[in-house]
Amino acid sequence: MTQRVDLATVMDRLAIDEVVSGYAVAVDDGDWAAYRALFTPDGRADYSSAGGVEGPARQVADWLAETMRMFPVRQHLIVNRLIRLEDLGGSPGDSAEVRADFVNPMRLTGTGTDDAGHAGDAGGAPNFFAAGRYTFALARTREGWRFSRVTVHEKWRHLSS
């Protein structure tokens, strides 16, 4: 590889990592416009292994917006990111795949108390945990890297009171 190809590969990896981080932030913050913007126009998402839906990302975003109301406090931790860039004979191509593990603690609506002792959504320890692995398929677009597919492979979950 030349230095130019090496630099392009590093830049692609950083841009892809930013899209994956953007995904976690969008879901955790309930920013469904940002979530939709992370996908190609024909992008799809599959949450079926976690009891959710599979379909066009725009429709899945609507489902998430409704479903995540049950969890006003949530935090996706996406780790162990394994990025595989398409290799075009020593040069990076326009597609990539990321496999990444996740742990997702969330707080159900109306449970726990905040630091001041108030009941409700503001605080308390998470009482729902899910974990597993994401598979992200990405495509290079004019706007940058975007998801063509997001698949959740939930491995375990835990609900506590």
Side-chain angles (χ1 to χ4, degrees):
M1 284 193 178
T2 67
Q3 284 183 328
R4 184 173 297 195
V5 171
D6 286 344
L7 179 58
T9 299
V10 169
M11 297 302 292
D12 282 339
R13 288 178 176 280
L14 289 171
I16 289 167
D17 189 69
E18 187 170 333
V19 175
V20 172
S21 293
Y23 168 88
V25 170
V27 172
D28 291 344
D29 291 351
D31 187 344
W32 307 116
Y35 177 93
R36 289 178 187 94
L38 294 169
F39 285 84
T40 61
D42 61 345
R44 298 183 69 80
D46 182 354
Y47 293 82
S48 59
S49 79
V53 299
E54 188 280 332
R58 293 191 172 284
Q59 291 177 5
V60 172
D62 293 340
W63 172 81
L64 282 169
E66 185 64 31
T67 302
M68 289 297 115
R69 288 182 188 181
M70 291 189 303
F71 304 102
V73 179
R74 51 192 179 264
Q75 183 176 25
H76 283 76
L77 305 170
I78 301 178
V79 299
N80 300 336
R81 299 171 192 209
L82 181 59
I83 300 172
R84 302 244 189 245
L85 290 166
E86 177 185 27
D87 184 351
L88 299 177
S91 296
D94 293 334
S95 65
E97 182 178 277
V98 178
R99 289 187 334 181
D101 295 331
F102 72 88
V103 176
N104 181 206
M106 297 186 284
R107 187 106 191 117
L108 287 164
T109 301
T111 57
T113 59
D114 63 17
D115 292 336
H118 301 104
D121 305 333
N127 55 6
F128 181 88
F129 293 85
R133 179 168 289 157
Y134 284 111
T135 302
F136 299 105
L138 295 100
R140 187 191 314 268
T141 70
R142 280 183 269 190
E143 294 79 30
W145 287 96
R146 296 291 183 266
F147 295 127
S148 56
R149 184 158 188 89
V150 171
T151 305
V152 175
H153 308 279
E154 188 176 88
K155 293 183 179 182
W156 62 267
R157 65 172 58 178
H158 176 75
L159 180 63
S160 63
S161 53

